[in-house]
Amino acid sequence: LRANTARIADALRAAGIEGGIADNYALTRMFGTQSGDYGTGLPDAVMMSGDWEEDDGQLSDGYLMRMGWAYGPDRTQWSQKLGDGAPDAFAMQLAGTDAAVFSRSSNLRGLLDTDHPFEYLGGLSLAVRAIDGESPALYISNMRDPNRTKLQSAESFMASELRAVYQHPRWVAEMKDEGFAGTLALLDTVNNFWGWQAMDRNIVRDDQWREFMAVYVEDRYDLGVREWFEATNPQAMAQITERMIEAIRKGYWDADAETLKTLVDVYTEVAAAHDVVTDNRVFTEYVAEQAAGFGLTLAAMVPDAASQPEAAPAAAPEIVTGQEMRENVQEAAASAPPQYFALIPIFLIGFGFLWQAGLLSLRPRATLSGDLA
């Protein structure tokens, strides 16, 4: 630790950073987002897979930029960075990292239930690979059973989680009972798995992609998955197959031609039947190319607007007549009481006052007096 701190301090001074500031950043062990900010930005960026390639640095640069705010021993310099043109202190601290550890102490949380594991631990791996040219070993400190704590490789932990939960027929059946929310759970699982694929290809395997396809797309366990998606949320099915096709297109998943044909066929069918579109133009062109090669229908493909003839003016909308809700003013007026009815309460109050004062009687006064006597 001392040698590493001295190395970074010397490098910062050599880059023109003042001694005290150089020492502070060399001693800093905590980095994160700017105070008041949150997240690495990777969950959204990684889904825009048509905008980046694995080695172009966009994802890793984004992670380092978002997570490079220092929280070191000098609290007056918390949530700060070195100025433009200065070395990246966070990247300097990550250089030479051999391993990273992430803990899990609850069965409610694994590596695929949210995007946080891949954006933070996976993002760290991505950044180290960009700096050193090689990913660090990733470990999960498994403390779910306090009497049997163990350190597992991330790939082993992931494989166990897939078998026990996300590719298990009972879990899929339970999600199916949840209706629309269940379709989102399956889609989120595949998206988070994709996030891990983009962060560190050592964590996921081809056979795991194939198993997702067998369970979620081909309905290996005869649970009626395809019908459930079609009836409840066909867009989720289209996005799941899109993510799988993207894994093949970008070279992550070494799938055979028959697997790709099946996925392209499912995507084009669902997209055409339910008007599903995607903003990923690279993906659209790839699917169109593959579909043409397989002899599949391209009805679902989004046409290139620039190549389309100018659309004809829209026809006037058809005027549809039917029952209408209107206030029946005439009926309301007829049923309303005349205005002079409002004087009745005043008349009754005045009558009662005169009666109590003895100024008004419905009988001869003598009789009234006699009764009172």
Short mmCIF file of all heavy atoms in Angstrom, two decimals, residues 21 70 92 101 107-108 111 129 132 151 156 165 178 186 202 210 215 235 246 260 265 274 280 289 296 324 373:
data_model
loop_
_atom_site.label_atom_id
_atom_site.label_comp_id
_atom_site.label_asym_id
_atom_site.label_seq_id
_atom_site.Cartn_x
_atom_site.Cartn_y
_atom_site.Cartn_z
N ILE A 21 -1.80 18.36 -2.71
CA ILE A 21 -2.92 17.80 -3.47
C ILE A 21 -2.56 16.42 -4.01
O ILE A 21 -3.37 15.49 -3.97
CB ILE A 21 -3.32 18.75 -4.62
CG1 ILE A 21 -3.81 20.08 -4.05
CG2 ILE A 21 -4.38 18.11 -5.50
CD1 ILE A 21 -4.13 21.12 -5.09
N ALA A 70 -13.38 11.99 -6.00
CA ALA A 70 -12.59 11.50 -4.87
C ALA A 70 -13.21 11.84 -3.52
O ALA A 70 -13.77 12.93 -3.34
CB ALA A 70 -11.18 12.08 -4.94
N MET A 92 -5.60 5.81 -11.98
CA MET A 92 -4.28 5.48 -11.44
C MET A 92 -4.39 4.51 -10.27
O MET A 92 -3.56 3.61 -10.10
CB MET A 92 -3.56 6.76 -11.01
CG MET A 92 -3.26 7.72 -12.16
SD MET A 92 -2.52 9.27 -11.61
CE MET A 92 -0.86 8.73 -11.21
N VAL A 101 -13.75 -7.79 -5.15
CA VAL A 101 -14.65 -8.61 -4.33
C VAL A 101 -15.95 -7.84 -4.08
O VAL A 101 -15.93 -6.65 -3.80
CB VAL A 101 -14.00 -8.99 -2.99
CG1 VAL A 101 -14.93 -9.90 -2.18
CG2 VAL A 101 -12.66 -9.65 -3.21
N ASN A 107 -30.47 -13.82 0.42
CA ASN A 107 -30.96 -14.59 -0.72
C ASN A 107 -31.86 -13.76 -1.63
O ASN A 107 -32.21 -14.21 -2.72
CB ASN A 107 -31.74 -15.82 -0.23
CG ASN A 107 -30.82 -16.90 0.31
OD1 ASN A 107 -29.86 -17.30 -0.36
ND2 ASN A 107 -31.08 -17.36 1.51
N LEU A 108 -32.25 -12.58 -1.17
CA LEU A 108 -33.09 -11.71 -1.99
C LEU A 108 -32.29 -11.01 -3.08
O LEU A 108 -32.86 -10.47 -4.01
CB LEU A 108 -33.78 -10.66 -1.12
CG LEU A 108 -34.76 -11.18 -0.07
CD1 LEU A 108 -35.30 -10.03 0.76
CD2 LEU A 108 -35.89 -11.95 -0.73
N LEU A 111 -26.82 -11.56 -8.56
CA LEU A 111 -26.13 -10.78 -9.59
C LEU A 111 -27.04 -10.34 -10.71
O LEU A 111 -26.63 -9.55 -11.56
CB LEU A 111 -24.97 -11.61 -10.17
CG LEU A 111 -23.83 -11.93 -9.22
CD1 LEU A 111 -22.74 -12.72 -9.95
CD2 LEU A 111 -23.24 -10.67 -8.60
N ARG A 129 -9.92 -3.43 -17.30
CA ARG A 129 -9.51 -3.98 -18.60
C ARG A 129 -9.10 -2.88 -19.57
O ARG A 129 -8.15 -3.03 -20.34
CB ARG A 129 -10.63 -4.82 -19.20
CG ARG A 129 -10.21 -5.55 -20.48
CD ARG A 129 -11.24 -6.55 -20.97
NE ARG A 129 -12.42 -5.92 -21.54
CZ ARG A 129 -13.63 -5.94 -21.00
NH1 ARG A 129 -13.81 -6.56 -19.85
NH2 ARG A 129 -14.64 -5.36 -21.60
N ASP A 132 -5.53 -1.74 -18.04
CA ASP A 132 -4.44 -2.72 -18.04
C ASP A 132 -4.45 -3.68 -19.22
O ASP A 132 -3.48 -4.41 -19.43
CB ASP A 132 -4.48 -3.54 -16.74
CG ASP A 132 -4.18 -2.71 -15.51
OD1 ASP A 132 -3.59 -1.62 -15.68
OD2 ASP A 132 -4.53 -3.14 -14.40
N LEU A 151 -15.93 -17.74 -0.27
CA LEU A 151 -15.56 -16.86 -1.36
C LEU A 151 -15.71 -17.63 -2.66
O LEU A 151 -15.07 -18.67 -2.85
CB LEU A 151 -14.12 -16.37 -1.19
CG LEU A 151 -13.68 -15.21 -2.08
CD1 LEU A 151 -14.44 -13.94 -1.72
CD2 LEU A 151 -12.18 -14.98 -1.96
N SER A 156 -18.92 -18.68 -11.01
CA SER A 156 -19.54 -19.80 -10.31
C SER A 156 -20.83 -19.36 -9.63
O SER A 156 -21.85 -20.07 -9.67
CB SER A 156 -18.56 -20.37 -9.27
OG SER A 156 -19.19 -21.32 -8.44
N VAL A 165 -32.62 -20.25 -10.00
CA VAL A 165 -33.69 -19.26 -10.07
C VAL A 165 -34.13 -19.00 -11.51
O VAL A 165 -35.16 -19.49 -11.96
CB VAL A 165 -33.28 -17.93 -9.40
CG1 VAL A 165 -34.45 -16.94 -9.39
CG2 VAL A 165 -32.79 -18.17 -7.98
N GLU A 178 -47.78 -13.92 -12.37
CA GLU A 178 -47.78 -12.50 -12.07
C GLU A 178 -48.22 -11.64 -13.25
O GLU A 178 -48.27 -10.42 -13.16
CB GLU A 178 -46.38 -12.05 -11.62
CG GLU A 178 -45.93 -12.67 -10.31
CD GLU A 178 -46.80 -12.29 -9.14
OE1 GLU A 178 -47.26 -11.13 -9.09
OE2 GLU A 178 -47.06 -13.16 -8.29
N LEU A 186 -38.73 -11.31 -16.42
CA LEU A 186 -37.92 -12.10 -17.36
C LEU A 186 -37.09 -11.18 -18.24
O LEU A 186 -35.90 -11.44 -18.51
CB LEU A 186 -38.81 -13.00 -18.23
CG LEU A 186 -39.08 -14.41 -17.68
CD1 LEU A 186 -39.86 -14.35 -16.37
CD2 LEU A 186 -39.83 -15.26 -18.69
N ASN A 202 -15.91 -12.91 -19.32
CA ASN A 202 -15.49 -14.10 -18.58
C ASN A 202 -16.56 -14.61 -17.63
O ASN A 202 -16.47 -15.75 -17.14
CB ASN A 202 -14.22 -13.80 -17.76
CG ASN A 202 -13.04 -13.41 -18.63
OD1 ASN A 202 -12.85 -13.96 -19.72
ND2 ASN A 202 -12.25 -12.46 -18.18
N ARG A 210 -27.85 -19.98 -24.46
CA ARG A 210 -28.69 -20.98 -25.13
C ARG A 210 -29.80 -21.48 -24.21
O ARG A 210 -30.93 -21.75 -24.67
CB ARG A 210 -27.81 -22.17 -25.59
CG ARG A 210 -28.57 -23.16 -26.50
CD ARG A 210 -28.97 -22.46 -27.78
NE ARG A 210 -29.78 -23.30 -28.67
CZ ARG A 210 -31.10 -23.44 -28.58
NH1 ARG A 210 -31.76 -22.84 -27.62
NH2 ARG A 210 -31.74 -24.19 -29.44
N VAL A 215 -35.57 -21.77 -22.55
CA VAL A 215 -36.61 -21.62 -21.54
C VAL A 215 -37.56 -20.47 -21.87
O VAL A 215 -38.78 -20.61 -21.75
CB VAL A 215 -35.98 -21.41 -20.15
CG1 VAL A 215 -37.05 -21.18 -19.09
CG2 VAL A 215 -35.13 -22.62 -19.77
N GLN A 235 -44.11 -6.97 -26.50
CA GLN A 235 -42.90 -6.15 -26.64
C GLN A 235 -41.75 -6.74 -25.83
O GLN A 235 -40.58 -6.66 -26.23
CB GLN A 235 -43.19 -4.72 -26.19
CG GLN A 235 -44.09 -3.92 -27.13
CD GLN A 235 -45.56 -4.24 -26.95
OE1 GLN A 235 -45.94 -4.96 -26.02
NE2 GLN A 235 -46.40 -3.71 -27.81
N GLU A 246 -28.46 -9.53 -30.49
CA GLU A 246 -27.35 -8.59 -30.32
C GLU A 246 -26.11 -9.28 -29.75
O GLU A 246 -24.99 -8.97 -30.13
CB GLU A 246 -27.76 -7.44 -29.42
CG GLU A 246 -28.56 -6.35 -30.11
CD GLU A 246 -27.72 -5.56 -31.10
OE1 GLU A 246 -27.51 -6.06 -32.22
OE2 GLU A 246 -27.25 -4.47 -30.76
N LEU A 260 -29.56 -18.76 -34.64
CA LEU A 260 -29.78 -17.40 -35.11
C LEU A 260 -31.05 -17.32 -35.94
O LEU A 260 -31.85 -16.39 -35.80
CB LEU A 260 -28.58 -16.92 -35.92
CG LEU A 260 -28.69 -15.52 -36.53
CD1 LEU A 260 -28.93 -14.47 -35.45
CD2 LEU A 260 -27.43 -15.18 -37.32
N ASP A 265 -36.46 -15.39 -36.69
CA ASP A 265 -37.83 -15.74 -37.06
C ASP A 265 -38.81 -15.28 -35.99
O ASP A 265 -39.84 -14.67 -36.28
CB ASP A 265 -37.92 -17.26 -37.26
CG ASP A 265 -39.22 -17.67 -37.94
OD1 ASP A 265 -39.92 -16.79 -38.48
OD2 ASP A 265 -39.53 -18.87 -37.94
N HIS A 274 -47.22 -7.18 -33.70
CA HIS A 274 -47.53 -6.24 -32.62
C HIS A 274 -46.91 -4.86 -32.81
O HIS A 274 -46.80 -4.09 -31.85
CB HIS A 274 -47.10 -6.83 -31.28
CG HIS A 274 -47.76 -8.14 -30.97
ND1 HIS A 274 -49.05 -8.24 -30.49
CD2 HIS A 274 -47.31 -9.42 -31.10
CE1 HIS A 274 -49.36 -9.51 -30.33
NE2 HIS A 274 -48.32 -10.25 -30.68
N ASN A 280 -32.52 0.88 -32.54
CA ASN A 280 -31.19 0.38 -32.89
C ASN A 280 -31.14 0.06 -34.40
O ASN A 280 -31.49 -1.03 -34.84
CB ASN A 280 -30.88 -0.88 -32.07
CG ASN A 280 -29.44 -1.32 -32.22
OD1 ASN A 280 -28.74 -0.97 -33.16
ND2 ASN A 280 -28.99 -2.14 -31.28
N GLU A 289 -30.77 -8.32 -42.93
CA GLU A 289 -29.79 -9.08 -43.71
C GLU A 289 -29.89 -10.57 -43.41
O GLU A 289 -29.89 -11.41 -44.32
CB GLU A 289 -28.39 -8.57 -43.38
CG GLU A 289 -27.28 -9.31 -44.11
CD GLU A 289 -25.91 -8.84 -43.67
OE1 GLU A 289 -25.80 -7.80 -42.98
OE2 GLU A 289 -24.91 -9.52 -44.02
N LEU A 296 -36.74 -15.37 -44.73
CA LEU A 296 -37.85 -15.03 -43.85
C LEU A 296 -38.52 -13.74 -44.31
O LEU A 296 -37.93 -12.93 -45.02
CB LEU A 296 -37.35 -14.86 -42.41
CG LEU A 296 -36.64 -16.08 -41.81
CD1 LEU A 296 -36.08 -15.73 -40.44
CD2 LEU A 296 -37.59 -17.26 -41.71
N GLU A 324 -74.16 10.76 -27.49
CA GLU A 324 -73.35 11.85 -27.01
C GLU A 324 -73.85 12.27 -25.63
O GLU A 324 -75.05 12.20 -25.36
CB GLU A 324 -73.51 13.05 -27.96
CG GLU A 324 -72.21 13.71 -28.30
CD GLU A 324 -72.46 14.85 -29.26
OE1 GLU A 324 -72.94 14.60 -30.36
OE2 GLU A 324 -72.19 15.98 -28.87
N ALA A 373 -105.07 30.97 31.11
CA ALA A 373 -105.38 31.10 32.51
C ALA A 373 -105.57 29.72 33.15
O ALA A 373 -105.22 29.50 34.28
CB ALA A 373 -106.63 31.95 32.69
#
